[in-house]
Amino acid sequence: MSHDTDPTHVADSPSGETGASAPGQNPGTDQDPIRPESGQTEATHPRIQELEAALEEMREKWLRSEAEMQNLRTRTKREVDDARQYATQKFARDVVEAAENLKRALSSLPAPAEGEDALITRMREGIESTERSFLGILERNGISAADPAGHPFDANHHQAMAEQHSDEHAHGTVIQAWTPAWTLHGRLLKPAMVVVSKGAPPAAETPAG
C-alpha cells in the first residue's frame, strides 16, 4: 500500500521543535545583557571609601614611623659621636694642668736680660720649646686654649677670682687671666681664672670749704 507524499510536510526537528527561526533572528541572543542592579553598585561605595580611609591612615602611620626612625638614627649618631669625642674629657682636663704648669715654670724665671746666665737662657728656651710642642699636640687632639684678657667677662667660660678698679678697662672687662679657658672640641673643659675690672675708681670728693 503506498503513502501519499505531501511536499509541504516538514519533518519534525530532532529536538522535537517544529518550525524554523525567522530570518534575521539568532536564537539565544534576544535577551538583554546582565547588568548589575543600581542598588548593588551603590552598596559598594561605602566599602570603597572605608578601604581608602584605612589606606590613608596606614600611610600616615608609616610616614610618622619613618620620621621617628630618622630622628632616632640622627640622635643615636650624635650620641655616639659625642661619646667618641668627649670620652677623654677627664684625661684632657688633667693634661691641661701639665700645660699650665709649663706656663708657671716660664713665669717663675727672670725676664730675659742682657748678660744673664747661659744656664737660665737655655732653660727658658727649653721650656718654651716644650710648651710649643705640647700645645701643638693638644691642638691636634681638639684641645684649645683661649686667653680672655681684654675681652668682656663671660660667666660661661670665665671664673672671676678678683675684681679691681682700672682706668684702662671698662667695667666687666677681663684685666688679667691667670689661666686660659680650655675647650675640648668646642666644649668647655676648664674655665679661665680671671681678674675683672670694676671700672675707673671713684673720683675723690672735694672737701667742704
Side-chain angles (χ1 to χ4, degrees), residues 1-2 4 28 51 80 83 114-115 138 148 166 176 179 189 197:
M1 183 177 176
S2 62
D4 294 334
L51 292 174
V80 170
E114 187 177 353
L138 296 182
S166 173
Q176 179 185 3
T179 62
L189 189 62
S197 172

Side-chain angles (χ1 to χ4, degrees), residues 11 18 22 47 62-63 74 90 104 120 132 149 154 181 193 199 202:
T18 60
R47 180 58 178 165
W62 176 76
L63 290 175
T74 301
K90 184 179 182 303
R104 294 187 187 100
I120 295 178
R132 285 193 300 270
D154 182 359
M193 306 299 177

Side-chain angles (χ1 to χ4, degrees), residues 94-173:
D94 293 337
V95 168
V96 301
E97 289 284 350
E100 291 178 357
N101 288 335
L102 285 173
K103 178 65 71 176
R104 294 187 187 100
L106 282 172
S107 300
S108 66
L109 295 175
E114 187 177 353
E116 70 178 2
D117 191 286
L119 179 61
I120 295 178
T121 302
R122 289 196 299 270
M123 184 181 298
R124 183 187 298 108
E125 291 174 351
I127 296 175
E128 288 175 346
S129 176
T130 301
E131 183 190 34
R132 285 193 300 270
S133 176
F134 193 38
L135 291 177
I137 293 172
L138 296 182
E139 285 280 353
R140 289 194 295 273
N141 286 274
I143 301 174
S144 302
D147 184 359
H151 295 279
F153 176 78
D154 182 359
N156 294 320
H157 291 84
H158 309 150
Q159 183 173 343
M161 306 304 293
E163 288 184 301
Q164 65 184 47
H165 292 291
S166 173
D167 292 324
E168 300 176 359
H169 300 86
H171 181 271
T173 303

